[in-house]
């Protein structure tokens, strides 16, 4: 079965063709980096306007790169939440229009289910059940995953998401946008033990996360020191901040392993592309005998292949969405 997936929940306009939920035939993506970069973050109105301009060429590129025609499609899937409503509506409306005109099923996909199960697009060795950590720009949520469609929330952030903390700290330090990639790169030249930042919510009584205190403590650190000192120690500063985020995630994952008795972990979402998180968790997996999986970096961040893959599974289960389906900003999983 061939599914066209469309993703437009934030600042990436993406389309992908996926066969049988696991073989990616093509992926087209238009990044809005240049538009939002001067503002240091995503401007919702500019995002939705740009999606409107790019959605048709992006879909056409994905179709052309996969060398398939409209009549080859078995279904069209699009993210309907969570995300920016104006942006979501563009991809959602395009998907509905294509499905309606072809007389094929349309599937609205929860973006979080896409992240959580993106691993199956490239790693067939993963089996259920597992601990699924979504660590992205809008979420830091830990699930017990028993199978497709069976997700039990174990813990989530009580304030900022981990990716949001990366972005806000990068903005505070004048490092640009998006912050996660910049901090990841610069941290490689820094000492992660140079400065001490707090690890919040370390008690095993909860599997919730918190990152706003860490962000505030970086702000206090900057206020307490001369600008020249901050500039001279920038790599050490961001490496120490990043280490606090990575430690917080690893502390909760190891607590979850103990309480859930699950030894298999799948990490997804934009922050799962972080090189320090990948290497540190890899080391923990080695010493503790855990089975840890990360999608490749391009499948960690927003993409349409994960949307098409979820659409395929819905189609197999006979689930399709009505054309009246609306965009939902705060959709839960
Ligand atoms: N290498 C990296 N290290 C750390 N953070 C990263 C890295 N690459 C991307 N990020 C962060 O990932 C986030 C983007 O991830 P993603 O696209 O999954 O989030 P989103 O779609 O905006 O949010 P959500 O998926 O929760 O709706 C940004 O906050 C970005 O800074
Ligand atoms: Mg995302």
């Amino acid at each position: 079965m061939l599914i066209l997936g469309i993703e437009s929940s934030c600042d990436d306009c993406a389309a992908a063709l996926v066969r049988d939920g696991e073989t990616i035939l093509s992926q087209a993506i238009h990044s809005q980096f240049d538009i939002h970069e001067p503002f240091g973050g995503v401007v919702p109105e500019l995002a939705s306007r740009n999606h409107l301009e790019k959605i048709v060429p992006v879909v056409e590129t994905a179709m052309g790169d996969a060398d398939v025609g409209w009549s080859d499609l078995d279904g069209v899937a699009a993210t309907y939440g969570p995300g920016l409503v104006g942006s979501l509506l563009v991809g959602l409306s395009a998907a509905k229009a294509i499905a309606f005109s072809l007389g094929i099923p349309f599937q609205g996909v929860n973006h979080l289910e896409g992240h959580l199960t993106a691993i199956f697009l490239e790693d067939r060795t993963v089996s259920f059940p597992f601990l699924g950590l979504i660590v992205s720009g809008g979420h830091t949520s830990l699930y017990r995953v028993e199978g497709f469609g069976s997700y039990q929330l174990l813990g989530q952030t009580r304030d900022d998401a981990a990716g949001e903390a990366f972005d806000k700290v990068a903005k505070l330090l004048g490092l640009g946008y998006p912050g996660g990639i910049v901090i990841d790169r610069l941290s490689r030249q820094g000492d992660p033990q140079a400065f001490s930042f707090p690890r919040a919510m370390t008690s095993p009584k909860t599997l919730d996360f918190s990152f706003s205190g860490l962000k505030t403590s970086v702000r206090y650190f900057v206020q307490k020191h001369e600008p020249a000192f901050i500039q001279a120690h920038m790599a050490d500063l961001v490496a120490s901040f990043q280490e606090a985020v990575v430690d917080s995630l690893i502390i909760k994952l190891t607590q979850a392993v103990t309480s859930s008795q699950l030894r298999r972990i799948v990490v997804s979402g934009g922050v799962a592309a972080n090189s320090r998180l990948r290497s540190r968790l890899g080391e923990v997996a080695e010493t503790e005998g855990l089975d840890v999986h990360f999608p490749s970096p391009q499948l960690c961040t927003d993409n349409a292949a994960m949307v098409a893959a979820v659409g395929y599974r819905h189609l197999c289960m006979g689930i399709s969405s009505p054309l009246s389906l609306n965009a939902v900003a705060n959709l839960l999983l």
Side-chain angles (χ1 to χ4, degrees):
M1 273 194 262
L2 184 64
I3 306 291
L4 167 65
I6 295 178
E7 159 61 41
S8 70
S9 65
C10 191
D11 57 340
D12 288 315
C13 188
L17 271 304
V18 175
R19 195 175 291 289
D20 296 334
E22 51 181 41
T23 307
I24 300 172
L25 302 189
S26 68
Q27 288 206 78
I29 187 157
H30 170 77
S31 162
Q32 299 182 353
F33 173 81
D34 294 344
I35 294 170
H36 305 294
E37 204 262 337
F39 301 94
V42 177
V43 183
E45 181 65 19
L46 297 181
S48 52
R49 283 166 188 254
N50 190 255
H51 280 303
L52 265 181
E53 284 175 25
K54 298 298 175 192
I55 189 72
V56 172
V58 164
V59 168
E60 283 175 344
T61 302
M63 295 290 291
D65 288 352
D67 199 19
V68 298
W70 298 111
S71 60
D72 296 320
L73 296 181
D74 295 295
V76 188
T79 304
Y80 76 103
L84 303 169
V85 167
S87 292
L88 286 164
L89 282 171
V90 177
L92 193 59
S93 305
K96 288 176 186 176
I98 295 168
F100 178 70
S101 66
L102 296 172
I104 58 176
F106 153 71
Q107 283 105 9
V109 169
N110 185 322
H111 182 83
L112 299 178
E113 185 172 11
H115 276 310
L116 205 50
T117 59
I119 189 74
F120 294 100
L121 282 160
E122 51 185 20
D123 188 347
R124 316 265 147 74
T125 67
V126 181
S127 57
F128 299 109
F130 60 77
L131 284 169
L133 175 67
I134 301 176
V135 63
S136 61
H139 296 80
T140 305
S141 304
L142 187 57
Y143 296 86
R144 181 185 181 94
V145 182
E146 293 283 350
F148 292 120
S150 177
Y151 315 112
Q152 183 197 352
L153 183 65
L154 302 177
Q156 61 187 324
T157 184
R158 295 193 181 174
D159 39 59
D160 291 351
E164 194 178 350
F166 270 100
D167 296 337
K168 285 179 175 171
V169 164
K171 193 170 180 180
L172 174 77
L173 297 173
L175 295 176
Y177 150 93
I181 298 167
V182 182
I183 289 179
D184 189 352
R185 204 175 301 135
L186 188 55
S187 292
R188 286 172 206 163
Q189 299 152 34
D191 173 8
Q193 312 303 334
F195 305 112
S196 170
F197 290 114
R199 276 73 169 151
M201 313 277 296
T202 51
S203 161
K205 285 186 188 145
T206 174
L207 291 175
D208 282 351
F209 304 83
S210 168
F211 294 101
S212 77
L214 171 59
K215 173 196 66 191
T216 306
S217 100
V218 174
R219 177 175 298 124
Y220 286 155
F221 185 94
V222 171
Q223 286 168 359
K224 228 174 72 187
H225 294 85
E226 291 296 323
F229 177 90
I230 298 295
Q231 285 309 322
H233 296 86
M234 191 61 89
D236 287 345
L237 175 54
V238 293
S240 301
F241 156 76
Q242 178 178 267
E243 199 70 357
V245 176
V246 169
D247 270 348
S248 301
L249 296 172
I250 290 179
I251 288 167
K252 283 297 146 201
L253 277 173
T254 38
Q255 288 170 353
V257 165
T258 306
S259 61
S260 71
Q261 301 287 307
L262 296 177
R263 306 197 68 76
R264 191 171 303 109
I265 297 172
V266 175
V267 189
S268 57
V271 182
N274 183 266
S275 58
R276 186 71 179 164
L277 176 63
R278 293 171 91 96
S279 67
R280 286 277 318 279
L281 201 51
E283 287 164 17
V284 173
E286 192 104 1
T287 52
E288 302 290 322
L290 303 176
D291 183 22
V292 176
H293 301 260
F294 288 91
S296 57
Q298 61 273 24
L299 285 179
C300 287
T301 46
D302 290 350
N303 66 88
M306 67 183 191
V307 177
V310 175
Y312 164 79
R313 290 191 289 272
H314 286 188
L315 196 61
C316 290
M317 291 186 271
I319 302 169
S320 64
S321 306
L323 292 176
S324 57
L325 182 73
N326 211 342
V328 183
N330 295 309
L331 190 61
L332 300 173
L333 184 61

